[in-house]
Amino acid sequence: MANDDLLLRMRGVEIDGWSDERWHDIIKGVDLSLKHGEVLGLIGESGAGKSTLGLAAMGYARPGTRIKGGEIVFDGQDLRKLSERQKQRLRGSRIAYVAQSAAAAFNPAHTLLDQTTEVAVRRGQLGRKEAEAYARELYAAMDLPNPDRIGDRFPHQVSGGQLQRAMTAMAMASKPDLIIFDEPTTALDVTTQVNVLAAMRKAIEQFGTAAIYITHDLAVVAQMADRIKVLRYGEEVEEADTHTMLTAPKETYTRSLWAVRSLEKPGETSDDKILQIRNVTAAYGKVPVLKNVSIAVPRGKTVALVGESGSGKSTTARVVTGLLPPSRGEVLFDGEPLPPTLAGRSREQLRRIQMIYQMADTAMNPRQTVGEIIGRPVAFYHGASRSEVRARVAELLDLIELDESFSDRFPGELSGGQKQRICIARALAPNPDLIICDEVTSALDQIVQEGILKLLLRLQKELGVSYIFITHDIATVQAIADEVVVMYQGSVVEQGRKEEIFSPPHPDYTELLLSSVPKMEPGWLSQAIAERRQLTP
């Protein structure tokens, strides 16, 4: 690699973090290099140090962490020797960052165009008119609809996939040399993800921008990266060009990443239905969201709801839980009609239906201990004494494969996988008959996902609990579902046993979903985009 082509060189980078009143190693002497216009994929399980290393490429360390060793040289400048003001001048102009949550990256009070052009205008890189023209060019490159006018919208007026692409356009508006992409498509459904990935790659190639692409999705990195670096416990496992890494990884750990998701549950059915949704129509205000939806959940089985964002999956869950009363139709639970509103339901009806949310971070009170989080529903639904609550918490922790010492910890002291296990324990605490799992593995890496799915399958076998599993991940459906319901624009496209749904021929929309699942094959993305033009409803 010629030095004059080298944009970023990181050598012996060491980063540690403060916790338990001492410093702990996070990154342990990692090297990284990147050429102009090149894309490097950073992969590894939770806690590997991917995001920490990516942020260090900007000369930045999160609060509670520090860069304590090594060199970080960007285009000839040693970032560790620059003042904070000098580094801030580089960030947003020559080095940009695209986060996982687009919604959190935008100010809801300003238009997309104002926010896209802000940095370039304020730093004198472009005049206002020139910046706006360039922003529209970027919107077009990102395949956003009506690129000349979409910038006039506010963040809440566009879809999640459109907002993610707008965030990439915002990062590119100052014509940076380097963009750090930190899990930018994790929360997107598969059909939206394909469009976003294609737009990102097209823009990177068109504008010659180098990128570090951080992800736990191996199939995604296969479409985006020229080279892949694998991290584990803050250390490099191996690095190679994408084709070599996918076809002939050297290390056992890398091969184990490639092999996850081997579990697959055979789809089964049952005539005994714990839940029946009958001809339900529901709306937000005057906007119809569900249209004559009928779904049945067999007792002790798992029904997966799949479909892109806006298809009605989470709205169906809101109807079942009483958060959104239907305008027509009914929900039967164990053969009896459920009151349409949460307020109208008895404590016993509430106890029997529980929910696990996508973001474990925001689903738990950070000021409560794990024992308090799990123990509260035990006391509320069962009137248990303090000693009974403690005993039940210990029992539930054992059930989710965590020891009793976790009872005194706070959410901030847990890993992503541990937090989700605590949320599972909280949902199990009332002894429910049905648990609604809303994208519970989408924010987790493959290894942690596999552990959570195995746990849910074991709990179902031991406890006989039924699941509604909302997901956009077809691999997750293969792993956990007995039956599948495909939804599109508020309606059920098809439903049945998993084997039937995944066996051709498919309705056009189901075919589109299945064809949008990324494969660990370089070049798959271009082929998928070409094929989907014929399949889009």
Side-chain angles (χ1 to χ4, degrees):
M1 184 181 296
N3 284 337
D4 60 358
D5 198 28
L6 198 62
L7 176 66
L8 177 69
R9 183 181 75 249
M10 304 174 72
R11 291 287 181 268
V13 174
E14 298 179 337
I15 303 173
D16 54 10
W18 180 262
S19 66
D20 299 329
E21 298 185 351
R22 64 188 182 93
W23 290 99
H24 300 265
D25 292 334
I26 299 175
I27 299 293
K28 309 168 186 175
V30 172
D31 298 342
L32 185 151
S33 60
L34 190 67
K35 295 187 293 184
H36 286 273
E38 185 182 30
V39 180
L40 173 70
L42 277 184
I43 67 170
E45 59 191 283
S46 297
K50 306 183 298 294
S51 295
T52 301
L53 187 63
L55 289 169
M58 306 170 67
Y60 179 79
R62 287 191 178 108
T65 67
R66 65 182 182 182
I67 303 171
K68 69 173 184 177
E71 63 175 10
I72 304 167
V73 179
F74 173 76
D75 201 19
Q77 300 180 80
D78 190 337
L79 299 186
R80 295 196 66 207
K81 294 180 179 178
L82 298 183
S83 68
E84 191 60 33
R85 183 176 179 82
Q86 288 173 315
K87 286 186 286 188
Q88 288 175 355
R89 293 288 300 177
L90 286 174
R91 297 171 192 152
S93 54
R94 297 199 62 198
I95 307 175
Y97 178 78
V98 176
Q100 178 176 345
S101 173
F106 282 91
N107 186 325
H110 296 277
T111 65
L112 299 180
L113 187 62
D114 283 343
Q115 296 182 72
T116 302
T117 58
E118 180 181 9
V119 172
V121 172
R122 288 183 62 181
R123 295 189 177 179
Q125 293 174 287
L126 299 171
R128 178 71 189 184
K129 289 186 178 180
E130 186 182 6
E132 289 182 354
Y134 187 55
R136 294 185 182 102
E137 182 182 344
L138 289 169
Y139 294 154
M142 296 303 298
D143 286 333
L144 284 164
N146 196 2
D148 289 336
R149 302 298 305 171
I150 195 169
D152 298 331
R153 298 184 188 179
F154 290 89
H156 69 276
Q157 294 176 313
V158 299
S159 70
Q162 290 169 352
L163 199 60
Q164 202 74 32
R165 280 177 276 176
M167 182 165 61
T168 303
M170 183 166 64
M172 301 187 74
S174 296
K175 302 183 179 180
D177 300 285
L178 171 64
I179 298 181
I180 315 296
F181 290 97
D182 196 353
E183 301 274 13
T185 63
T186 297
L188 303 179
D189 62 75
V190 288
T191 55
T192 304
Q193 177 179 253
V194 168
N195 287 330
V196 172
L197 289 175
M200 285 177 174
R201 196 177 70 178
K202 174 184 172 184
I204 287 170
E205 292 173 352
Q206 180 177 338
F207 297 99
T209 307
I212 295 175
Y213 198 97
I214 300 164
T215 184
H216 62 249
D217 193 320
L218 310 176
V220 165
V221 80
Q223 309 313 313
M224 298 298 294
D226 301 303
R227 287 184 295 125
I228 296 175
K229 181 187 288 289
V230 182
L231 297 180
R232 189 186 192 195
Y233 302 145
E235 298 179 297
E236 178 180 318
V237 176
E238 63 177 308
E239 179 181 329
D241 67 87
T242 298
H243 181 267
T244 300
M245 188 68 81
L246 293 176
T247 57
K250 295 179 181 178
E251 301 298 325
T252 302
Y253 174 70
T254 307
R255 291 195 293 273
S256 75
L257 286 176
W258 274 211
V260 297
R261 287 298 182 84
S262 55
L263 73 160
E264 183 167 329
K265 180 182 182 182
E268 299 175 2
T269 190
S270 168
D271 292 331
D272 185 11
K273 310 299 183 185
I274 186 71
L275 182 82
Q276 292 173 284
I277 302 170
R278 292 182 175 175
N279 307 116
V280 162
T281 295
Y284 293 120
K286 295 183 179 181
V287 180
V289 183
L290 296 182
K291 307 163 188 174
N292 200 36
V293 168
S294 294
I295 297 170
V297 180
R299 190 182 304 275
K301 303 298 181 182
T302 300
V303 172
L305 303 188
V306 300
E308 62 189 71
S309 298
S311 61
K313 306 186 301 296
S314 294
T315 302
T316 300
R318 290 175 65 83
V319 168
V320 172
T321 55
L323 295 173
L324 179 66
S327 54
R328 288 201 304 272
E330 63 178 352
V331 178
L332 301 181
F333 186 75
D334 216 2
E336 298 293 327
L338 276 176
T341 65
L342 190 68
R345 296 184 184 181
S346 67
R347 182 173 296 196
E348 178 65 6
Q349 288 171 326
L350 296 175
R351 178 192 69 78
R352 297 182 68 190
I353 301 176
Q354 295 293 312
M355 190 159 181
I356 306 170
Y357 298 91
Q358 177 178 358
M359 301 304 294
D361 277 325
T362 57
M364 293 187 287
N365 187 330
R367 296 184 178 182
Q368 289 183 340
T369 65
V370 165
E372 291 171 327
I373 290 168
I374 299 176
R376 187 175 181 182
V378 175
F380 178 78
Y381 286 109
H382 300 291
S385 66
R386 285 189 177 183
S387 61
E388 290 170 334
V389 168
R390 283 197 299 271
R392 178 60 174 157
V393 168
E395 180 183 325
L396 287 164
L397 285 171
D398 182 65
L399 201 59
I400 60 168
E401 300 164 3
L402 295 177
D403 64 63
E404 193 174 350
S405 67
F406 278 83
S407 181
D408 296 323
R409 298 191 190 182
F410 290 90
E413 300 175 86
L414 308 176
S415 70
Q418 289 168 344
K419 290 175 185 175
Q420 200 59 284
R421 285 174 185 260
I422 297 304
C423 288
I424 292 170
R426 179 174 61 184
L428 289 170
N431 295 323
D433 297 292
L434 173 69
I435 298 178
I436 301 172
C437 305
D438 192 357
E439 299 280 11
V440 296
T441 60
S442 66
L444 305 174
D445 65 69
Q446 268 99 335
I447 289 178
V448 178
Q449 282 183 27
E450 186 176 28
I452 294 297
L453 293 177
K454 284 181 176 178
L455 172 64
L456 289 169
L457 289 171
R458 179 176 65 79
L459 293 173
Q460 186 175 63
K461 185 176 180 180
E462 292 178 4
L463 305 175
V465 65
S466 307
Y467 297 134
I468 294 177
F469 209 94
I470 298 169
T471 183
H472 60 251
D473 187 341
I474 302 301
T476 296
V477 176
Q478 290 279 17
I480 202 167
D482 297 299
E483 298 187 11
V484 179
V485 176
V486 181
M487 299 188 71
Y488 178 64
Q489 293 186 349
S491 299
V492 173
V493 175
E494 64 172 330
Q495 59 183 304
R497 294 177 60 218
K498 177 175 61 181
E499 291 81 0
E500 296 169 353
I501 299 299
F502 289 155
S503 297
H506 307 293
D508 286 348
Y509 181 67
T510 305
E511 182 66 34
L512 177 65
L513 274 182
L514 297 177
S515 69
S516 299
V517 180
K519 298 179 181 177
M520 287 198 296
E521 301 170 3
W524 169 86
L525 183 59
S526 299
Q527 180 182 350
I529 288 294
E531 291 177 351
R532 70 187 284 113
R533 292 193 180 104
Q534 302 174 356
L535 295 171
T536 303

